[in-house]
Amino acid sequence: MTVFAVRRDLESAIRNMSETIRAGTKKRGTTGPTTAKVGIIMGSRSDWTTMKHAADLLDELGVPYEKKIVSAHRTPDLLFTYAEAAADRGLQVIIAGAGGAAHLPGMAAAKTRLPVLGVPVLSSALHGVDSLLSIVQMPKGVPVGTLAIGDAGAVNAALLAVAILALNDAALARKLDAYRDWQTSRVLGDSLP
Ligand code: RP5
């Protein structure tokens, strides 16, 4: 076999591999209908310790959600497929957590008309200020509702998602009121050492 033939075979193998990866990421985009109302996406598995707080809150209030790693820069095709299909699939709100140059919430918002709530993940280099500024400074036209850095932001994103859903769901509105009442009574019942 000549050097040229080896090169041609290699190039063709690389092309096939790239196509397989592209098709794979599209399929993983979950294009079918869902009973989840909230989609929690995050740029990396490392974001889960933060984003878990959003999931826990939704569990507590009985809101169906799905969770998924979708990276704007590592899996851009998956992000586009996911965000484009989100509304038709039945999702009503997207919560997107990302850290560093955190473009996931903004890019997701660019591809869906659903409200996107951004959670700036606490980064090690700049303590989440990079994530916060990347998410909050969306130029006009495509908004991202930006929450606080870290765990508080994740919890508040879930609470805001519940408040949005509760506009058309009286039972959920009552659950949210009960949660707020419980929080109030906990603070009123607190005492100092
Ligand atoms: C972002 O980069 C993720 O949202 C994460 O917060 C950050 C670091 O990711 P890993 O290097 O931990 O995967 O895409």
Side-chain angles (χ1 to χ4, degrees), residues 42-47 71-74 97-104 121-123 131:
M42 61 211 81
S44 167
R45 194 177 209 285
S46 65
D47 297 327
S71 167
H73 59 283
R74 290 170 179 151
H103 27 243
L104 177 67
V121 170
L122 186 70
S123 57
S131 326

Short mmCIF file of all heavy atoms in Angstrom, two decimals, residues 42-47 71-74 97-104 121-123 131, ligand 1:
data_model
loop_
_atom_site.label_atom_id
_atom_site.label_comp_id
_atom_site.label_asym_id
_atom_site.label_seq_id
_atom_site.Cartn_x
_atom_site.Cartn_y
_atom_site.Cartn_z
N MET A 42 -26.36 21.79 32.42
CA MET A 42 -25.13 22.34 33.00
C MET A 42 -23.96 21.97 32.11
O MET A 42 -24.00 20.94 31.42
CB MET A 42 -24.93 21.83 34.43
CG MET A 42 -24.78 20.33 34.56
SD MET A 42 -25.44 19.74 36.13
CE MET A 42 -27.20 19.65 35.78
N GLY A 43 -22.93 22.81 32.15
CA GLY A 43 -21.82 22.64 31.23
C GLY A 43 -20.94 21.43 31.49
O GLY A 43 -20.25 20.96 30.60
N SER A 44 -20.95 20.94 32.72
CA SER A 44 -20.02 19.87 33.08
C SER A 44 -20.57 19.11 34.27
O SER A 44 -21.38 19.63 35.06
CB SER A 44 -18.67 20.49 33.44
OG SER A 44 -17.83 19.55 34.08
N ARG A 45 -20.09 17.87 34.40
CA ARG A 45 -20.46 17.08 35.57
C ARG A 45 -20.06 17.81 36.86
O ARG A 45 -20.69 17.70 37.89
CB ARG A 45 -19.71 15.75 35.48
CG ARG A 45 -20.19 14.68 36.40
CD ARG A 45 -19.41 13.40 36.16
NE ARG A 45 -20.21 12.24 36.47
CZ ARG A 45 -20.49 11.82 37.68
NH1 ARG A 45 -20.02 12.48 38.72
NH2 ARG A 45 -21.24 10.75 37.90
N SER A 46 -18.95 18.58 36.75
CA SER A 46 -18.46 19.29 37.94
C SER A 46 -19.45 20.35 38.43
O SER A 46 -19.35 20.83 39.55
CB SER A 46 -17.09 19.93 37.66
OG SER A 46 -17.21 20.94 36.67
N ASP A 47 -20.42 20.72 37.60
CA ASP A 47 -21.43 21.71 38.01
C ASP A 47 -22.55 21.09 38.85
O ASP A 47 -23.36 21.81 39.43
CB ASP A 47 -22.08 22.37 36.78
CG ASP A 47 -21.09 23.16 35.94
OD1 ASP A 47 -20.15 23.73 36.53
OD2 ASP A 47 -21.25 23.20 34.71
N SER A 71 -22.83 21.07 27.05
CA SER A 71 -21.79 22.09 27.10
C SER A 71 -21.80 22.95 25.84
O SER A 71 -21.85 22.42 24.73
CB SER A 71 -20.42 21.41 27.25
OG SER A 71 -19.39 22.33 27.00
N ALA A 72 -21.76 24.26 26.04
CA ALA A 72 -21.79 25.17 24.88
C ALA A 72 -20.55 25.01 24.01
O ALA A 72 -20.64 25.08 22.79
CB ALA A 72 -21.92 26.61 25.35
N HIS A 73 -19.41 24.76 24.64
CA HIS A 73 -18.20 24.69 23.81
C HIS A 73 -17.73 23.26 23.55
O HIS A 73 -17.04 23.02 22.57
CB HIS A 73 -17.06 25.53 24.42
CG HIS A 73 -16.67 25.12 25.80
ND1 HIS A 73 -17.41 25.43 26.91
CD2 HIS A 73 -15.61 24.41 26.25
CE1 HIS A 73 -16.82 24.94 27.98
NE2 HIS A 73 -15.72 24.32 27.61
N ARG A 74 -18.15 22.29 24.41
CA ARG A 74 -17.70 20.92 24.16
C ARG A 74 -18.71 20.11 23.36
O ARG A 74 -18.36 19.18 22.66
CB ARG A 74 -17.42 20.22 25.49
CG ARG A 74 -16.19 20.76 26.21
CD ARG A 74 -16.10 20.20 27.63
NE ARG A 74 -14.93 20.70 28.32
CZ ARG A 74 -14.88 20.85 29.64
NH1 ARG A 74 -15.91 20.54 30.40
NH2 ARG A 74 -13.78 21.31 30.21
N GLY A 97 -26.83 26.11 34.22
CA GLY A 97 -25.72 26.46 35.11
C GLY A 97 -24.40 26.28 34.38
O GLY A 97 -24.20 25.29 33.66
N ALA A 98 -23.51 27.24 34.54
CA ALA A 98 -22.20 27.11 33.90
C ALA A 98 -21.18 27.98 34.62
O ALA A 98 -21.54 28.94 35.30
CB ALA A 98 -22.28 27.51 32.42
N GLY A 99 -19.92 27.62 34.46
CA GLY A 99 -18.86 28.35 35.14
C GLY A 99 -17.79 28.84 34.18
O GLY A 99 -17.67 28.34 33.07
N GLY A 100 -17.06 29.84 34.58
CA GLY A 100 -15.99 30.40 33.74
C GLY A 100 -16.58 31.31 32.67
O GLY A 100 -17.46 32.13 32.94
N ALA A 101 -16.09 31.16 31.44
CA ALA A 101 -16.66 31.92 30.31
C ALA A 101 -17.99 31.25 29.99
O ALA A 101 -18.11 30.50 29.02
CB ALA A 101 -15.73 31.88 29.11
N ALA A 102 -18.99 31.57 30.80
CA ALA A 102 -20.21 30.75 30.85
C ALA A 102 -21.22 31.16 29.80
O ALA A 102 -22.14 31.91 30.06
CB ALA A 102 -20.81 30.85 32.25
N HIS A 103 -21.06 30.60 28.61
CA HIS A 103 -21.96 31.00 27.52
C HIS A 103 -23.16 30.09 27.34
O HIS A 103 -24.00 30.32 26.48
CB HIS A 103 -21.19 31.15 26.21
CG HIS A 103 -19.97 30.32 26.12
ND1 HIS A 103 -18.71 30.87 26.01
CD2 HIS A 103 -19.79 29.00 26.21
CE1 HIS A 103 -17.82 29.89 25.99
NE2 HIS A 103 -18.45 28.76 26.12
N LEU A 104 -23.24 29.02 28.15
CA LEU A 104 -24.37 28.07 27.99
C LEU A 104 -25.75 28.72 28.12
O LEU A 104 -26.59 28.53 27.24
CB LEU A 104 -24.21 26.91 29.00
CG LEU A 104 -25.34 25.88 28.99
CD1 LEU A 104 -25.37 25.10 27.68
CD2 LEU A 104 -25.20 24.91 30.17
N VAL A 121 -21.87 29.34 38.10
CA VAL A 121 -21.22 28.37 39.00
C VAL A 121 -19.93 28.98 39.55
O VAL A 121 -19.22 29.70 38.85
CB VAL A 121 -20.95 27.05 38.23
CG1 VAL A 121 -20.06 26.11 39.03
CG2 VAL A 121 -22.28 26.38 37.88
N LEU A 122 -19.69 28.69 40.81
CA LEU A 122 -18.49 29.22 41.49
C LEU A 122 -17.25 28.62 40.85
O LEU A 122 -17.00 27.43 40.97
CB LEU A 122 -18.58 28.82 42.97
CG LEU A 122 -17.53 29.36 43.91
CD1 LEU A 122 -17.72 30.85 44.13
CD2 LEU A 122 -17.61 28.64 45.25
N SER A 123 -16.47 29.45 40.16
CA SER A 123 -15.25 28.95 39.52
C SER A 123 -14.09 29.09 40.49
O SER A 123 -14.14 29.92 41.40
CB SER A 123 -14.98 29.77 38.25
OG SER A 123 -14.87 31.14 38.59
N SER A 131 -18.18 33.80 35.82
CA SER A 131 -19.43 33.15 35.41
C SER A 131 -20.58 34.15 35.47
O SER A 131 -21.41 34.23 34.56
CB SER A 131 -19.76 31.97 36.35
OG SER A 131 -18.60 31.32 36.80
C1 RP5 B 1 -17.82 25.05 32.11
O1 RP5 B 1 -16.50 24.93 32.52
C2 RP5 B 1 -18.62 24.25 33.08
O2 RP5 B 1 -19.88 24.86 33.24
C3 RP5 B 1 -17.82 24.23 34.34
O3 RP5 B 1 -18.34 25.09 35.33
C4 RP5 B 1 -16.45 24.69 33.89
C5 RP5 B 1 -15.37 23.72 34.22
O4 RP5 B 1 -15.68 22.48 33.62
P1 RP5 B 1 -14.79 21.20 33.92
O5 RP5 B 1 -13.42 21.53 33.46
O6 RP5 B 1 -14.87 20.95 35.42
O7 RP5 B 1 -15.43 20.08 33.14
O8 RP5 B 1 -18.01 24.55 30.83
#
